[in-house]
C-alpha cells in the first residue's frame, strides 16, 4: 500500500499537472472563436471598386431583384460574393444608399436612368455577361435547331431593307419601315417603348407540317420579352420572334404560354420542341438541352455608389467552357457520377461555394453555441433564483422560445428587431439560434444542477467553501459531466438547424447546395453531397464533445495519473 | 486530556432556539463543551440532536440564542473561518462523486488554505493511511463501501486540521457489518489528545466507551448530562432512564386528515411481531390507540406524535405528544371515554402526564404480562 501511494506521489503525470492541459484546449477554443468572430465582424471597411472583379469577393453583397435575369446573371458572375435577392427594385436602391449592399445588379437601361437622376450612383461600364440569350430545344431537335440558327443569323445580320422585306416569306419585314433591320425594329419596340401591342404578323399560308405544329413554350412571366397583355393574350418580344420564326420555317406552331421555371423540365421531357424565355446559355444547361445562337443582347449591368468607384477596365466574364460532347444517355453510371461531381464541385470552382457555405455554417454554429451557453448560464441562474422577479422573466422567455418555430424567430430578428442595426446576417442568425439554444440548454443545465444531492453542497459548505467556490468546485464539475450528453445532442441539432439561415440571405452550406442545384439542374448530387458534409461535420464536432466527455470522466483522470493512458 | 490542564470551554451555547414550520425543535438549549473533550449526544429521534449540531457550524441559522466558539460569538465570526475550524462528518458521507478519495481530501486544503498541491497530496495520503485506506487513493466514491466512504469523509474533515469535529450519526446509514470499522477510526481519533469532538450517535456502547461526557437530549433541550457511567448506569431523571432502558422505539407522526388506521395497525403489528409481543398486549395496544385517537385526541387536535418503545424488561412504553390546551385524558372531565380510561387503568403500570412548553405529553407503560 505504502509503495503504491509513494509511487503516485512521485509520478509526473499527477492529475494536477495534467489539468493544466485543459487550459490549452480552452485557449485553443478561445482563439478559434476570436478568429471566427473577427471574420464575421470586419464589415466596416468598404474596399473601392475598380471593376466587376472587385465585386466578386467573399463578404461583398450584390443585390438583385428576385427571379430576374440580371439576378441570375449576378449569381453566376459573382460566385464568391453574396448575391442577395430583393422583392422589388426600390428596396434595392434604398439598400445601396444605406450601404447594406455593395452593388445592384440590374438591367442596364434602368441603371442608366437611375444614375442620370441621382449623381450618387455610378454604373460600371462593363456588362455582367455578354448576353447568351438563346432558344432552347431538346437534344433530339438538332435539325430544327439548325434552322433556328439560320433564322437568327439572318435576323441579326445587317441586311438591307429590301433584302429583309422580300425574302424568307416576309419573316423579317419590319413594322416601322424606317428601321434598318428587323432586329432593331423589334428591340426598339419592345425594350425602348413599353406598352406596345403585338404587330400583326401573318401565319404561313402553306405550312410544311399541316396538323403537326411545332410546340413552342414561351415564358410569359418575363416582361417585356414575354407577358400577357390586358386581354390575356401572349405578347412581347419573344412572341413576335416566334411568329416571325414560323414564317421563316414555313411551319405551323403552337405557342404555349408558359412559366420560366417550367421551361427546362419540359424541354428535358421533350414536351416542347422549342423554348424561349430569355434563357441563358450556360455550360450546365448545354449539357442537358440544345441552345441556339444568341438572339438578343440583354446586358445586365452593375451599379455602385459613386464614392466607391475608381476606374480600371476588365474583360467581361466569358462563358467559354463549352458543353459536354456526350449526351446523358450515352454515359455509363460512373461517367455520369464523374460528370455530376465535376459539375457540382469543379466547374467554376464551385467547391469554393461549399467551403464558404460550410465556413458560414460552422461560424454560425460556434457563435450561437458560445452565445447560447452564456445565456443558458444566466437563464439557469434566474430560473433557480428564489426571487420571483428573476424567475418569471426566465420562465416567460423559455415559454416563448420553446413555443415558437426557430425560423420565425430568425425572421423576426432579421426583419424586425435588427433591421436598423448594421450587423451581419450571420451574426443575426447566430443570435437567433443562440437564443433558441439557450432556452433548451438552460433547462438542461437546471435539471443537471437540481439533480445534485443537497448533501454534497452541505458537505462543501461545512468544509468552509463559500457560495461561489461551492459552485466552482462541486456543482459545476458534477453538473457539467451530467449535462454533457444532452448538451452534445443540443449542439448537433443546432448545427443542423443552421440550414434555415438561407431564408435571410446567408450563404450557408444548404444555400450553397441550393445555388449549385439551381445552376446544374441536378438535385441528386448536390443534395447528397451536402447531406454527407453535414454528417461528417456533425460527427467531427460530436467527437470533439466525446473527447470532452472522456476527459471529464474522473476515471480518465485516474488512468492518466497512473500512467495507463497518455491522452 | 490530562487532569490538571485548565478546563476551558470550546463551545458554549446559551438559550439556543430553532423552529421548523412552527415546530419547536430546540427550546432554549444551554450546553458547554470543553476543549479537548469528547461529548456524545444521545436521545430519541426528533429530540433535536442533529439540529443542535448543525446550528453549531451554522448550517442551520438559530432563531435565538448565542453560540460561543473559543470564547467568540459566532455571529461575529466569518462563517467560513468558523467552518474551517469546525469540521463535520455526515450521516450520508457526502463524498464528492467527481473526485477520487485522494482528491476529495485534497480539495479543501488546496482551495481554501492554498496548501501547495504536493504538500496537500502528501498529507492526504497520510490521512488515508491513518483511516486504513492507503490503497484506495484513486478509488472513486462509488467504488467504495459505505464504511470506506465514511472513513474517507473523516479523512477529508481532518485534512483541514479542525479544532472541533462534529459527527452527525456517522454510522446510521451503514450496514451493521461496517459500523465497527468507522467507530474504530473515530475511537482512534478520540484517543489522540487535543481534538474536541461532538458525536450524535445511537451506538450506546460506543458512546459509553469513547466519551468524556454524555448529553441526553429530549424535546429540544439537554435533558440530562453527565459522565457515561452516570447517564448509562445511574440516570437521574425519568425520561433519561426510560430512554436508556428502551431497546427499540418506533415513532409515528399522526395527522387526522390522512390517518390510515389499517396501515397504522399493520405497522404496530410489525413492531409487535419483531419483539415477539404476546397477542393480548398487541390487541391492547390497538384498543388503547383506537380509543384515544378517535374519542379523545381528534376532538381537539389535528396531529400528534406517538412513540412506542420496548424496554430491556420487555415493558411497552407509549408516549403521546400533542399540542392544544392542557388536557389530561386520565382526568374525569377530559372528554376521554370511560372505556379508554378503564382499559388504561387496568393495564398500565405507569401513567404520566406532563405539560412541556405548549405541548402535552402522556406516557403509559404496559408491563410484561409474565412479570405482573
Amino acid at each position: 500500500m505504502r509503495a503504491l501511494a509513494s509511487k503516485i506521489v512521485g509520478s509526473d503525470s499527477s492529475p494536477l499537472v495534467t489539468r493544466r492541459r485543459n487550459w490549452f484546449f480552452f485557449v485553443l477554443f478561445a482563439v478559434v472563436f476570436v478568429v471566427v468572430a473577427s471574420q464575421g465582424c470586419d464589415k466596416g471597411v468598404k474596399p473601392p471598386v475598380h471593376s466587376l472583379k472587385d465585386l466578386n469577393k467573399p463578404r461583398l453583397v450584390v443585390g438583385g431583384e428576385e427571379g430576374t435575369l440580371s439576378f441570375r446573371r449576378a449569381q453566376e458572375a459573382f460566385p464568391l460574393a453574396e448575391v442577395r435577392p430583393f422583392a422589388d427594385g426600390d428596396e434595392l436602391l434604398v439598400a445601396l444608399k444605406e450601404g447594406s449592399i455593395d452593388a445592384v445588379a440590374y438591367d442596364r437601361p434602368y441603371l442608366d436612368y437611375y444614375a442620370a437622376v441621382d449623381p450618387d450612383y455610378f454604373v460600371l461600364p462593363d456588362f455582367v455577361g455578354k448576353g447568351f440569350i438563346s432558344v432552347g430545344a431538346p437534344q433530339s431537335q438538332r435539325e430544327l435547331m439548325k434552322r433556328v440558327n439560320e433564322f437568327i443569323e439572318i435576323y441579326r445580320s445587317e441586311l438591307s431593307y429590301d433584302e429583309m422585306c422580300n425574302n424568307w416569306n416576309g419573316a423579317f419585314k419590319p413594322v416601322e419601315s424606317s428601321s434598318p433591320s428587323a432586329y432593331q425594329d423589334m428591340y426598339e419596340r419592345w425594350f425602348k417603348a413599353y406598352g406596345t401591342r403585338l404587330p400583326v404578323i401573318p401565319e404561313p399560308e402553306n405550312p410544311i407540317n399541316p396538323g403537326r405544329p411545332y410546340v413552342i413554350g414561351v415564358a410569359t412571366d418575363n416582361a417585356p420579352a414575354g407577358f400577357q397583355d390586358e386581354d390575356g393574350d401572349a405578347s412581347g418580344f419573344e412572341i413576335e420572334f416566334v411568329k416571325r420564326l414560323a414564317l421563316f420555317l414555313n411551319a405551323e406552331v403552337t405557342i404555349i404560354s408558359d412559366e420560366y421555371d417550367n421551361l427546362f423540365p419540359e424541354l428535358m421531357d421533350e414536351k416542347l420542341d422549342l423554348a424561349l424565355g430569355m434563357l441563358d446559355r450556360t455550360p450546365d444547361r448545354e449539357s442537358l438541352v440544345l441552345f441556339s445562337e444568341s438572339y438578343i443582347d440583354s446586358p445586365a449591368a452593375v451599379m455602385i455608389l459613386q464614392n466607391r468607384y475608381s476606374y480600371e477596365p476588365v474583360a467581361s466574364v466569358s462563358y467559354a467552357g463549352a458543353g459536354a460532347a456526350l449526351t446523358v444517355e450515352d454515359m455509363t453510371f460512373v461517367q455520369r457520377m464523374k460528370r455530376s461531381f465535376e459539375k457540382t464541385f469543379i466547374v467554376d470552382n464551385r467547391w469554393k461555394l461549399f467551403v464558404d457555405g460550410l465556413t458560414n455554417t460552422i461560424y454560425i454554429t460556434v457563435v450561437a453555441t458560445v452565445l447560447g451557453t452564456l445565456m443558458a448560464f444566466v437563464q439557469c441562474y434566474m430560473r433557480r433564483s428564489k426571487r420571483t422577479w428573476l424567475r418569471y422573466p426566465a420562465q416567460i422567455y423559455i415559454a416563448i422560445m420553446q413555443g415558437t418555430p426557430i425560423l420565425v424567430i430568425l425572421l423576426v430578428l432579421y426583419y424586425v428587431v435588427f433591421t436598423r442595426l448594421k450587423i451581419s446576417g450571420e451574426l443575426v442568425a447566430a443570435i437567433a439560434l443562440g437564443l433558441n439554444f439557450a432556452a433548451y440548454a438552460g433547462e438542461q443545465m437546471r435539471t443537471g444542477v437540481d439533480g445534485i444531492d443537497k448533501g454534497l453542497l452541505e458537505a462543501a459548505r461545512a468544509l468552509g467553501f463559500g457560495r461561489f467556490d461551492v459552485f466552482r468546485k462541486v456543482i459545476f464539475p458534477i453538473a457539467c459531466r451530467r449535462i454533457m450528453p444532452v448538451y452534445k445532442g443540443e449542439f448537433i441539432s443546432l448545427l443542423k438547424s443552421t440550414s434555415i439561415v438561407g431564408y435571410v440571405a446567408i450563404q450557408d452550406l444548404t444555400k450553397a447546395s441550393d445555388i449549385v442545384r439551381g445552376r446544374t439542374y441536378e438535385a441528386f448530387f448536390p443534395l447528397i453531397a451536402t447531406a454527407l458534409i453535414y454528417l461528417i461535420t456533425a460527427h467531427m464536432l460530436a467527437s470533439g464533445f466525446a473527447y470532452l466527455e472522456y476527459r471529464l470522466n474522473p476515471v480518465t483522470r485516474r488512468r492518466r495519473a497512473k500512467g495507463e493512458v497518455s491522452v | 486530556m490530562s487532569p490538571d490542564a485548565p478546563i476551558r470551554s470550546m463551545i458554549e451555547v446559551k438559550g439556543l432556539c430553532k423552529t421548523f414550520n412552527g415546530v419547536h425543535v430546540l427550546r432554549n438549549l444551554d450546553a458547554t463543551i470543553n476543549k479537548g473533550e469528547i461529548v456524545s449526544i444521545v436521545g430519541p429521534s426528533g429530540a433535536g440532536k442533529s439540529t443542535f449540531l448543525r446550528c453549531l457550524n451554522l448550517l442551520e441559522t438559530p432563531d435565538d440564542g448565542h453560540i460561543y466558539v473559543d470564547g467568540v460569538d459566532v455571529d461575529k465570526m466569518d462563517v467560513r473561518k468558523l467552518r474551517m475550524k469546525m469540521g463535520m462528518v455526515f450521516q450520508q458521507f457526502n463524498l464528492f462523486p467527481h473526485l477520487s478519495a485522494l482528491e476529495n481530501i485534497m480539495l479543501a486544503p488546496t482551495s481554501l488554505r492554498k496548501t501547495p498541491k504536493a504538500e496537500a497530496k502528501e498529507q492526504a495520503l497520510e490521512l488515508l493511511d491513518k483511516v486504513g485506506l492507503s490503497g484506495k487513493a484513486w478509488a472513486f466514491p462509488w467504488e467504495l463501501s459505505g464504511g470506506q466512504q465514511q472513513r474517507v469523509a473523516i479523512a477529508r474533515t481532518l485534512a483541514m486540521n479542525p479544532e472541533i469535529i462534529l459527527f452527525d450519526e456517522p454510522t446510521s446509514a451503514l450496514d451493521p457489518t461496517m459500523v465497527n470499522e468507522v467507530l474504530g477510526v473515530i475511537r482512534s481519533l478520540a484517543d489522540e489528545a487535543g481534538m474536541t469532538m461532538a458525536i450524535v450517535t445511537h451506538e450506546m456502547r460506543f458512546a459509553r466507551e469513547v466519551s468524556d461526557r454524555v448529553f441526553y437530549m429530549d424535546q429540544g433541550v439537554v435533558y440530562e448530562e453527565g459522565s457515561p457511567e452516570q447517564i448509562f448506569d445511574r440516570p437521574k431523571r425519568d425520561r433519561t432512564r426510560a430512554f436508556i432502558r428502551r431497546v427499540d422505539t418506533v415513532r409515528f407522526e399522526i395527522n387526522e386528515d390522512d390517518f390510515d388506521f389499517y396501515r397504522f395497525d399493520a405497522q404496530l403489528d410489525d413492531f409487535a411481531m419483531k419483539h415477539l409481543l404476546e397477542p393480548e398486549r398487541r390487541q391492547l395496544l390497538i384498543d388503547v390507540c383506537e380509543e384515544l385517537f378517535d374519542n379523545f385526541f381528534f376532538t381537539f387536535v389535528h396531529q400528534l406524535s406517538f412513540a412506542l418503545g420496548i424496554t430491556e424488561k420487555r415493558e411497552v412504553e407509549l408516549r403521546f405528544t400533542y399540542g392544544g390546551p392542557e388536557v389530561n385524558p386520565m382526568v374525569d372531565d377530559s372528554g376521554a371515554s370511560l372505556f379508554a380510561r378503564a382499559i388504561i387503568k387496568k393495564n398500565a403500570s405507569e401513567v404520566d402526564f406532563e405539560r412541556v412548553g405548549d405541548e402535552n405529553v402522556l406516557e403509559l407503560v404496559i408491563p410484561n404480562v409474565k412479570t405482573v
Side-chain angles (χ1 to χ4, degrees):
Chain A
M1 295 290 190
R2 278 285 194 187
L4 180 62
S6 58
K7 198 171 132 197
I8 292 167
V9 176
S11 159
D12 280 342
S13 55
S14 82
L16 304 155
V17 176
T18 51
R19 238 180 253 166
R20 246 171 247 155
R21 270 183 226 156
N22 290 341
W23 279 100
F24 171 73
F25 283 99
F26 178 76
V27 170
L28 188 72
F29 183 71
V31 168
V32 168
F33 170 63
V34 168
V35 169
V36 173
S38 64
Q39 284 241 324
C41 294
D42 70 346
K43 297 225 159 179
V45 190
K46 299 247 179 199
V49 177
H50 306 290
S51 65
L52 295 177
K53 251 193 241 164
D54 300 322
L55 287 170
N56 187 22
K57 282 176 182 164
R59 298 200 298 283
L60 289 187
V61 186
V62 178
E65 188 176 324
E66 200 166 13
T68 60
L69 178 71
S70 53
F71 177 72
R72 295 196 295 275
R73 272 290 161 70
Q75 284 187 319
E76 289 156 359
F78 308 115
L80 298 178
E82 179 195 336
V83 180
R84 189 179 291 174
F86 282 79
D88 71 79
D90 292 341
E91 273 185 29
L92 271 171
L93 295 177
V94 174
L96 184 63
K97 267 271 168 82
E98 279 187 344
S100 61
I101 58 176
D102 298 281
V104 167
Y106 213 65
D107 295 343
R108 177 71 190 242
Y110 290 102
L111 297 184
D112 279 339
Y113 171 74
Y114 293 136
V117 173
D118 187 337
D120 280 356
Y121 297 129
F122 185 84
V123 180
L124 285 178
D126 302 298
F127 297 152
V128 182
K130 262 224 155 162
F132 267 83
I133 301 299
S134 310
V135 180
Q139 290 188 330
S140 57
Q141 292 286 12
R142 282 179 195 280
E143 287 308 309
L144 178 60
M145 192 49 92
K146 263 186 203 161
R147 298 277 293 147
V148 172
N149 277 337
E150 282 171 31
F151 172 79
I152 292 171
E153 192 184 339
I154 299 164
Y155 139 97
R156 297 207 61 172
S157 68
E158 293 184 5
L159 291 173
S160 73
Y161 177 64
D162 284 343
E163 284 169 304
M164 286 276 185
C165 271
N166 300 329
N167 294 307
W168 302 292
N169 300 332
F172 302 112
K173 189 179 175 184
V175 174
E176 315 262 334
S177 55
S178 62
S179 295
S181 72
Y183 170 63
Q184 281 202 359
D185 173 56
M186 282 169 67
Y187 190 85
E188 288 288 324
R189 176 160 49 259
W190 294 109
F191 289 96
K192 297 283 172 73
Y194 293 95
T196 318
R197 291 193 73 83
L198 192 68
V200 180
I201 293 166
E203 291 180 10
E205 284 168 20
N206 297 306
I208 53 167
N209 56 349
R212 294 187 294 106
Y214 289 123
V215 180
I216 303 180
V218 179
T220 51
D221 53 359
N222 209 8
F227 58 95
Q228 288 178 333
D229 64 19
E230 44 282 35
D231 303 327
D233 297 327
S235 181
F237 175 85
E238 286 173 334
I239 302 294
E240 185 178 339
F241 180 91
V242 169
K243 293 202 164 188
R244 288 179 188 276
L245 176 66
L247 277 178
F248 175 82
L249 296 174
N250 194 24
E252 263 183 46
V253 299
T254 301
I255 297 175
I256 308 276
S257 193
D258 215 334
E259 284 174 25
Y260 175 84
D261 289 338
N262 294 339
L263 291 177
F264 277 104
E266 285 173 1
L267 277 181
M268 285 189 273
D269 291 349
E270 307 209 357
K271 285 179 185 158
L272 300 175
D273 295 315
L274 293 173
L276 292 87
M278 301 298 269
L279 301 181
D280 318 323
R281 175 172 159 179
T282 65
D284 294 315
R285 292 170 176 173
E286 267 182 318
S287 64
L288 301 170
V289 298
L290 295 175
F291 278 104
S292 71
E293 294 304 318
S294 168
Y295 61 84
I296 188 171
D297 291 329
S298 171
V302 160
M303 183 165 82
I304 59 171
L305 288 178
Q306 177 72 50
N307 56 20
R308 295 259 325 252
Y309 177 69
S310 87
Y311 183 71
E312 191 178 296
V314 277
S316 60
V317 178
S318 124
Y319 279 99
L326 290 166
T327 59
V328 177
E329 286 76 16
D330 298 334
M331 294 180 174
T332 64
F333 175 76
V334 176
Q335 279 173 317
R336 278 209 299 276
M337 280 297 122
K338 184 165 172 279
R339 199 186 63 133
S340 290
F341 179 81
E342 281 170 357
K343 274 168 69 180
T344 307
F345 291 113
I346 308 298
V347 176
D348 286 351
N349 282 338
R350 279 174 194 153
W351 58 271
K352 283 185 181 162
L353 276 174
F354 283 96
V355 170
D356 286 350
L358 183 61
T359 310
N360 262 340
T361 293
I362 292 176
Y363 164 76
I364 294 168
T365 308
V366 169
V367 175
T369 308
V370 172
L371 215 69
T373 306
L374 292 177
M375 289 192 49
F377 275 130
V378 175
Q379 183 198 305
C380 175
Y381 173 77
M382 288 170 72
R383 274 283 266 139
R384 286 176 46 77
S385 171
K386 288 193 186 90
R387 288 165 220 155
T388 41
W389 59 269
L390 278 176
R391 212 169 55 234
Y392 279 8
Q395 265 168 318
I396 291 167
Y397 174 79
I398 292 163
I400 291 173
M401 283 297 154
Q402 296 192 340
T404 322
I406 171 66
L407 176 58
V408 176
I409 292 170
L410 175 65
L411 293 177
V412 168
L413 286 192
Y414 190 78
Y415 288 112
V416 182
V417 180
F418 289 121
T419 33
R420 297 269 161 229
L421 292 171
K422 285 182 183 166
I423 78 176
S424 72
E426 286 84 353
L427 200 55
V428 174
I431 291 170
L433 290 162
L435 289 175
N436 190 60
F437 182 81
Y440 291 94
E443 284 296 88
Q444 288 163 0
M445 285 180 191
R446 189 172 66 88
T447 17
V449 173
D450 282 350
I452 295 174
D453 183 4
K454 298 286 168 290
L456 296 178
L457 312 186
E458 248 174 22
R461 282 168 59 208
L463 282 167
F465 285 96
R467 266 169 72 94
F468 180 68
D469 278 335
V470 172
F471 176 80
R472 201 164 59 105
K473 297 285 183 182
V474 180
I475 299 179
F476 185 72
I478 297 174
C480 233
R481 202 173 154 241
R482 257 181 217 210
I483 295 164
M484 206 39 78
V486 269
Y487 185 78
K488 179 172 83 178
E490 205 55 53
F491 174 80
I492 300 297
S493 99
L494 169 66
L495 171 76
K496 292 188 293 181
S497 55
T498 55
S499 61
I500 60 164
V501 301
Y503 273 91
V504 293
I506 297 167
Q507 270 190 31
D508 72 320
L509 185 54
T510 305
K511 191 63 180 279
S513 91
D514 266 355
I515 292 168
V516 170
R517 198 154 50 91
R519 278 187 222 164
T520 59
Y521 289 89
E522 253 194 25
F524 178 81
F525 209 85
L527 285 179
I528 297 298
T530 306
L532 269 175
I533 296 171
Y534 271 114
L535 186 70
I536 292 165
T537 312
H539 276 268
M540 272 164 52
L541 294 173
S543 68
F545 273 95
Y547 179 68
L548 209 60
E549 269 180 74
Y550 166 78
R551 287 299 301 266
L552 282 172
N553 187 341
V555 176
T556 308
R557 216 163 51 232
R558 166 169 65 194
R559 295 175 64 197
R560 286 156 56 86
K562 289 189 173 176
E564 288 169 21
V565 286
S566 54
V567 261
Chain B
M1 221 175 124
S2 65
D4 44 33
I7 292 173
R8 192 155 68 84
S9 73
M10 191 67 186
I11 299 173
E12 200 171 347
V13 178
K14 281 183 183 160
L16 191 63
C17 292
K18 179 72 188 173
T19 311
F20 287 115
N21 301 322
V23 179
H24 293 280
V25 180
L26 298 180
R27 302 164 193 264
N28 229 354
L29 181 145
D30 295 326
T32 305
I33 298 174
N34 294 321
K35 197 171 172 63
E37 198 175 29
I38 317 291
V39 171
S40 290
I41 302 163
V42 299
S45 50
K49 306 185 296 291
S50 290
T51 309
F52 169 52
L53 222 55
R54 292 163 58 84
C55 280
L56 292 182
N57 68 352
L58 298 181
L59 279 182
E60 302 291 352
T61 315
D63 295 339
D64 202 1
H66 290 278
I67 299 169
Y68 302 93
V69 173
D70 234 353
V72 184
D73 191 335
V74 293
D75 286 348
K76 298 188 179 93
M77 284 175 80
D78 178 1
V79 181
R80 282 180 283 178
K81 291 262 163 58
L82 168 73
R83 287 172 181 163
M84 284 195 233
K85 197 174 169 140
M86 194 187 293
M88 186 163 193
V89 175
F90 296 86
Q91 184 177 350
Q92 299 295 339
F93 333 134
N94 295 338
L95 289 185
F96 304 126
H98 61 299
L99 299 178
S100 66
L102 184 71
E103 291 164 328
N104 258 285
I105 300 168
M106 287 166 62
L107 184 70
T110 51
S111 319
L112 299 174
R113 292 225 193 278
K114 307 289 173 214
T115 311
K117 285 184 176 166
E119 195 182 308
K121 188 171 181 176
E122 208 166 320
Q123 184 205 10
L125 287 167
E126 273 168 27
L127 286 169
L128 276 174
D129 195 39
K130 188 170 177 177
V131 298
L133 289 171
S134 53
K136 297 285 185 185
W138 272 104
F140 286 91
W142 70 85
E143 296 167 321
L144 296 171
S145 73
Q148 289 171 328
Q149 285 189 56
Q150 192 62 299
R151 285 188 279 157
V152 173
I154 293 171
R156 178 176 68 178
T157 307
L158 290 173
M160 289 298 279
N161 297 317
E163 293 172 44
I164 306 158
I165 303 186
L166 311 174
F167 291 89
D168 186 6
E169 303 199 22
T171 58
S172 297
L174 293 175
D175 279 357
T177 52
M178 294 170 183
V179 169
N180 281 332
E181 66 191 53
V182 172
L183 294 183
V185 167
I186 301 173
R187 193 176 280 128
S188 74
L189 288 180
D191 291 344
E192 289 173 25
M195 187 81 76
T196 309
M197 285 163 51
I199 308 167
V200 170
T201 184
H202 291 294
E203 301 290 333
M204 299 301 166
R205 193 180 306 164
F206 168 75
R208 183 181 189 134
E209 285 167 14
V210 84
S211 319
D212 297 318
R213 220 147 42 99
V214 177
F215 289 177
Y216 171 71
M217 271 187 77
D218 203 333
Q219 296 185 339
V221 291
V222 177
Y223 183 79
E224 184 169 352
E225 62 171 282
S227 67
E229 294 73 27
Q230 185 190 329
I231 296 293
F232 291 112
D233 298 337
R234 301 180 300 278
K236 284 178 188 155
R237 302 184 65 181
D238 295 348
R239 275 188 266 149
T240 316
R241 207 162 39 229
F243 177 79
I244 297 302
R245 286 185 312 189
R246 223 173 275 152
V247 292
D248 194 9
T249 56
V250 63
R251 190 182 172 88
F252 304 91
E253 294 298 331
I254 292 158
N255 192 320
E256 187 187 357
D257 297 332
D258 57 7
F259 180 56
D260 179 346
F261 195 83
Y262 288 100
R263 187 147 172 266
F264 175 75
D265 188 4
Q267 285 168 334
L268 274 188
D269 212 20
D270 285 347
F271 185 80
M273 295 291 274
K274 195 168 128 196
H275 294 285
L276 302 170
L277 280 191
E278 312 74 16
E280 298 81 23
R281 278 210 288 176
R282 196 192 78 76
Q283 187 56 47
L284 186 66
L285 272 178
I286 290 172
D287 287 347
V288 167
C289 289
E290 198 170 354
E291 280 304 317
L292 283 179
F293 288 168
D294 276 349
N295 297 328
F296 178 63
F297 294 129
F298 288 163
T299 59
F300 63 99
V301 284
H302 266 297
Q303 53 185 33
L304 68 146
S305 97
F306 168 50
L308 183 65
I310 295 266
T311 68
E312 284 166 352
K313 294 178 190 157
R314 298 185 52 74
E315 293 167 332
V316 179
E317 287 184 355
L318 298 83
R319 187 196 311 179
F320 304 92
T321 311
Y322 50 100
E326 185 170 343
V327 191
N328 181 356
M330 302 313 291
V331 176
D332 284 352
D333 60 353
S334 66
S337 71
L338 279 172
F339 179 62
R341 256 180 284 147
I343 57 170
I344 290 170
K345 276 183 182 153
K346 181 165 177 278
N347 295 291
S349 62
E350 275 178 55
V351 180
D352 280 333
F353 176 80
E354 196 180 357
R355 179 76 178 174
V356 179
D358 51 3
E359 283 182 336
N360 303 296
V361 180
L362 176 70
E363 279 185 349
L364 308 176
V365 178
I366 299 173
N368 192 343
V369 186
K370 285 168 193 160
T371 62
V372 172

